[in-house]
Amino acid sequence: MRCRKCGQKAVINMRQHRLALCGEHYLEWLPQQTERFIKKYEMFTRYERLLLAVSGGKDSLALWDVLWRLGYNVDGLYINLGIDGSLDYSNQSQRFAQQFADERDLKLINVNVHEQYGENIPEIAQRTRRGQDKTCSICGLVKRHIFNQSARDGNYDAVITAHNLDDEAAVLLSNSLDWSLERLGRGQPLLPAGGGFVRKAKPFCRFYERESAAYTLLRGIPYIHEECPYSTGSKQLFFKQDLNRWEEHMPGTKLRFYLNYLTALEEGAFPQRQESPAELDQQRCPICGQPTITGNTCAFCRLFEK
Ligand code: Q46
Ligand code: ZN
Ligand code: ZN
């Protein structure tokens, strides 16, 4: 397989685009495409302050590297969840994130869930006696809360996550199987700010997982290779494996599934929230001040009330 641009040996073949590239041209292509998506979905500009959720894994470090090289003003946020497993998972991933930031003189904000709230994720899950998928839903809730809070405290213009196409397609499949119209109504690559929520963007949403992994490897960025021990056997992983099987036989399936969904979203196929920003502003948690759907104590504060 040869690089389409220079004819040298290709290191990656993206069958969904019918495009093979050598290392040098791939390292040019991925940032160019990222810039294209940022502009297409009007995510953010170089004049804004951005906060990126950094996990120490390949996607978030690749995205941080790309945004930094493209000249965006982006700080990182690492949330130490207190997940140890056999590999001291959280502390190890924090070290990779910190090393990345130090080497480029970038700012990384560290939040330790146990130090801040008195319990880490496995302890909360144990106290509330949740199963594995529920541990992930608690973890997601805690991460979203801290992420939004940190962005508001630091006056950031937008928060960024490194969700890739495999993540988005798996969530889409899960929500489609559940016919969860409310969730299907908010799967855009850009969610505007409103009612106490900071603008949220996903610049990697159109890249396959193997593409961000290839970028990290070609750039020689050290990252945590182990997956979180709670991800094994999760529903999300199950959907990803199925989608990969379909992709193998029908290249482009994941991309088509996601892009056609975005078109359907734009055409109004799913209900959008009707409240105005002013109405949403009324709906704040009396304990933490963050937005809630009901206007009562938010799910995060309820988790710690119990
Ligand atoms: S970190 Fe948290 Fe993930 Fe681990 S506990 Fe589940 S949600 S799998 S992205
Ligand atoms: Zn080339
Ligand atoms: Zn609250």
Side-chain angles (χ1 to χ4, degrees), residues 36-49:
R36 188 165 82 81
F37 304 150
I38 292 169
K39 295 226 159 73
K40 179 177 172 56
Y41 299 111
E42 299 177 351
M43 292 181 175
F44 42 78
T45 68
R46 286 183 174 75
Y47 303 106
E48 293 179 307
R49 291 183 60 241

Side-chain angles (χ1 to χ4, degrees), residues 3-8 21-25:
C3 171
R4 185 197 284 176
K5 298 208 169 165
C6 69
Q8 299 289 312
L21 292 171
C22 70
E24 190 190 328
H25 284 117

Side-chain angles (χ1 to χ4, degrees), residues 68-211:
W68 170 66
R69 283 171 193 277
L70 288 171
Y72 287 99
N73 181 2
V74 51
D75 295 339
L77 172 71
Y78 180 82
I79 303 174
N80 189 311
L81 304 160
I83 294 171
D84 39 25
S86 55
L87 291 148
D88 199 15
Y89 176 76
S90 288
N91 292 332
Q92 282 246 42
S93 20
Q94 184 167 7
R95 279 192 281 276
F96 281 107
Q98 194 63 60
Q99 181 190 341
F100 179 94
D102 292 346
E103 283 173 2
R104 290 158 184 78
D105 205 15
L106 292 167
K107 180 178 171 183
L108 179 70
I109 301 169
N110 284 292
V111 176
N112 186 302
V113 176
H114 191 274
E115 282 170 18
Q116 193 115 346
Y117 301 100
E119 275 177 315
N120 60 32
I121 298 297
E123 287 165 349
I124 303 170
Q126 199 178 25
R127 173 169 56 82
T128 54
R129 295 175 199 279
R130 307 287 184 103
Q132 180 173 333
D133 268 341
K134 292 288 181 193
T135 302
C136 285
S137 67
I138 290 173
C139 180
L141 171 70
V142 169
K143 286 193 288 194
R144 281 193 300 277
H145 178 93
I146 294 175
F147 197 22
N148 198 55
Q149 189 69 53
S150 305
R152 289 175 55 192
D153 291 348
N155 283 322
Y156 286 94
D157 296 296
V159 296
I160 299 170
T161 59
H163 289 103
N164 56 43
L165 184 73
D166 294 50
D167 300 321
E168 295 303 287
V171 168
L172 178 56
L173 181 56
S174 172
N175 290 338
S176 305
L177 290 175
D178 288 343
W179 277 111
S180 175
L181 293 180
E182 200 258 324
R183 287 193 181 147
L184 285 166
R186 50 186 162 87
Q188 301 88 338
L190 171 77
L191 285 171
F197 286 110
V198 180
R199 188 191 333 152
K200 205 170 176 186
K202 300 174 190 171
F204 267 9
C205 63
R206 288 173 61 158
F207 292 124
Y208 284 26
E209 196 172 299
R210 64 189 282 269
E211 292 162 9

